[in-house]
Amino acid sequence: MTVTRLDKLLKPGPGGRLEKIIQRAQDMQDLTGRLRAVLDDELADALLAANVRDGELVLVCTSSAWASRLRFESEALLAAARAAGVEATRCQVRVAR
């Protein structure tokens, strides 16, 4: 495993690792907000986070009951993600621990 100095990891400016991490977090937050906008208020509150991995929209919610409800909305959520420029073809819902 390569050891990287902390000052290099935290190097400010474009192209730095910290900058990439911050951008990724902002992208996830934006996507989560867009998806919440197509849900009713209660269900939107249960959606904690959204991410995309290998063409799969991954949703994290608060409980298994809300996960079931989100699965019913998967087509609408995929359409909203695609409208936001996300290339996702399937949806997975996970429950936060």
Side-chain angles (χ1 to χ4, degrees):
M1 183 164 99
T2 304
V3 176
T4 305
R5 290 178 42 116
L6 187 57
D7 61 340
K8 287 186 180 184
L9 288 174
L10 299 178
K11 177 182 127 188
R17 289 186 184 179
L18 182 59
E19 181 69 27
K20 290 177 185 177
I21 292 169
I22 291 169
Q23 185 60 53
R24 181 76 173 139
Q26 288 173 342
D27 291 346
M28 288 175 60
Q29 185 177 20
D30 291 345
L31 177 59
T32 303
R34 288 177 182 258
L35 298 180
R36 284 180 177 153
V38 301
L39 300 170
D40 65 53
D41 290 341
E42 273 190 308
L43 191 52
D45 288 342
L47 178 60
L48 300 176
N51 193 9
V52 179
R53 292 203 171 208
D54 301 323
E56 183 172 53
L57 179 63
V58 180
L59 308 174
V60 180
C61 66
T62 57
S63 73
S64 58
W66 290 118
S68 293
R69 295 256 326 261
L70 281 171
R71 285 184 191 100
F72 282 111
E73 300 294 332
S74 63
E75 288 304 317
L77 292 167
L78 281 168
R82 287 187 203 114
V86 173
E87 294 183 27
T89 57
R90 55 196 183 281
C91 183
Q92 180 183 69
V93 182
R94 296 181 180 177
V95 177
R97 292 185 182 176

